[in-house]
Amino acid sequence: MSKKITGKYKVCSVIGDPISHTLSPIIHNTLNQYCEREMVYVPFHVTVSRLEEAIKGAHALGIHGLNVTMPHKQEVMNYLCEIDEVAQKVDAVNTLVYEDVGYKGYNTDVMGLRTSMESGGIEYTHQSVAIIGSGGAAYAATECVIQTAKHIHLFNRTLEKANSLKAHFEKYYDVPIFVHGIEEEIEEPIDLVIQTTGIGMGAYKGSIPACARALLRQAKYAVDLIYNPWETLFLKVAKEEGCKTINGFDMLFYQAVRAYELMNHCSLDKALINQVKEEIDTLAMR
Ligand code: NAP
């Protein structure tokens, strides 16, 4: 960082467990530089048992805004003064904004995914959508597409979790949601497949969800929320099948941009966002 930190600086943070892999400080501090904002963004390792203390302590210290990552996105909802409507629907919070009486919680993953699909040429409106997975990321993906989807087919290893997701969204929307096991093949045509499980990264690098090949054979668009590796086997197969594809890196970037705007009560210029994105892209694991 080229500027000296003075007493006027504000602090923002990301908390999670683990946290050392996070790319959020790079994105937020690059935005700080471009915006010439007197602000520094730092990672804190916070375990589940100390989450409540951490949120109270952050507020006492006047920490301006926080991002919340795994495994705290749901638990943190218990320690906030208010929760935004989208975050309530997704049942997870990833951004906290300072208010006098506590933090207000938001979910910027939905907008991050939406913006990444729009900028990547993925048509998500009026489509038959398959979502693989039923964890936190699948909730964000469902909220992202459900308002305009023809119908949603959910594939998950644990049917109970997929049924919970279905029941949750049926409280808000009347778009049909069908639940399938992760190995099931279906007859109905699918336009867009969104892969939200961890299959393809870490210990599962080189693997693909069992249902994916059959879905990709008929799909036009494919999104994998994983960005490390840059191209999962799911995306490789999708390309071979002629799908237009994106990985999860732009979702990460755009959710961070939206979090930055919320924390700093500002709206960033598109040209500036694109400039920062170019710089961040060169750092990403291509
Ligand atoms: P999560 O809540 O733990 O959910 C994990 C999901 O993956 C569940 O549906 C789980 O199925 C499934 N799964 C995991 N291992 C599996 C296996 N071996 N076989 C079959 N299914 C398996 O996690 P999450 O928060 O949804 O995150 C999921 C992925 O999305 C991660 O890779 C994360 O990095 C990525 N993500 C990316 C972004 C981004 O900005 N790009 C944002 C959020 C998340 P069960 O229900 O059967 O356990």
Side-chain angles (χ1 to χ4, degrees):
M1 208 166 296
S2 54
K3 280 173 91 178
K4 292 221 167 26
I5 294 175
T6 69
K8 290 185 194 155
Y9 266 62
K10 292 194 168 116
V11 177
C12 284
S13 164
V14 57
I15 58 170
D17 180 18
I19 198 63
S20 59
H21 66 285
T22 180
L23 295 175
S24 295
I26 293 175
I27 302 174
H28 280 257
N29 287 318
T30 306
L31 286 166
N32 283 334
Q33 279 175 1
Y34 275 81
C35 297
E36 298 184 357
R37 199 174 294 275
E38 293 184 321
M39 161 87 69
V40 64
Y41 183 104
V42 288
F44 288 122
H45 179 211
V46 174
T47 57
V48 171
S49 63
R50 306 205 69 178
L51 181 63
E52 182 174 8
E53 271 180 277
I55 300 300
K56 284 186 181 155
H59 195 263
L61 289 169
I63 290 187
H64 202 60
L66 295 102
N67 281 122
V68 180
T69 187
M70 296 238 291
H72 304 313
K73 287 184 183 184
Q74 285 190 309
E75 176 66 15
V76 78
M77 295 171 87
N78 297 315
Y79 312 123
L80 306 177
C81 65
E82 198 181 337
I83 297 173
D84 162 76
E85 195 187 325
V86 172
Q88 280 179 34
K89 282 194 201 156
V90 179
D91 202 23
V93 158
N94 75 337
T95 301
L96 309 190
V97 176
Y98 187 93
E99 304 216 339
D100 288 343
V101 289
Y103 286 107
K104 179 168 178 183
Y106 296 84
N107 188 302
T108 65
D109 281 337
V110 177
M111 186 177 270
L113 178 57
R114 189 171 293 144
T115 311
S116 76
M117 291 201 285
E118 283 164 3
S119 68
I122 303 290
E123 184 51 75
Y124 63 91
T125 61
H126 311 293
Q127 306 288 315
S128 301
V129 184
I131 296 176
I132 309 176
S134 296
Y139 277 70
T142 303
E143 172 61 21
C144 185
V145 298
I146 197 166
Q147 284 174 44
T148 58
K150 284 188 200 156
H151 42 245
I152 294 177
H153 288 268
L154 267 182
F155 295 80
N156 200 44
R157 176 179 59 180
T158 310
L159 284 178
E160 196 187 341
K161 284 200 200 161
N163 280 317
S164 296
L165 189 157
K166 173 180 154 80
H168 177 80
F169 280 96
E170 281 175 350
K171 286 189 285 189
Y172 301 105
Y173 303 102
D174 55 13
V175 172
I177 302 176
F178 304 97
V179 165
H180 310 279
I182 198 145
E183 298 190 351
E184 205 175 310
E185 287 197 18
I186 59 169
E187 300 283 313
E188 293 88 336
I190 292 292
D191 304 305
L192 163 64
V193 188
I194 307 179
Q195 198 303 106
T196 76
T197 76
I199 302 174
M201 66 183 285
Y204 297 104
K205 194 173 168 182
S207 302
I208 184 168
C211 58
R213 287 179 191 274
L215 291 169
L216 292 169
R217 229 168 274 141
Q218 34 165 332
K220 297 197 264 303
Y221 306 100
V223 178
D224 198 331
L225 266 46
I226 294 170
Y227 53 85
N228 184 14
W230 193 258
E231 185 178 273
T232 55
L233 180 58
F234 171 85
L235 287 185
K236 190 168 176 284
V237 171
K239 280 182 189 164
E240 285 164 6
E241 295 292 350
C243 298
K244 186 153 198 168
T245 65
I246 56 167
N247 72 9
F249 189 77
D250 285 2
M251 173 181 175
L252 175 83
F253 177 76
Y254 289 116
Q255 71 73 27
V257 168
R258 183 63 196 136
Y260 188 91
E261 291 181 329
L262 287 166
M263 288 176 193
N264 293 297
H265 306 283
C266 68
S267 174
L268 296 177
D269 181 65
K270 207 165 177 197
L272 181 141
I273 295 173
N274 290 341
Q275 236 180 323
V276 172
K277 183 157 189 306
E278 242 174 71
E279 188 168 329
I280 300 292
D281 274 353
T282 59
L283 301 169
M285 296 141 282
R286 281 180 192 267

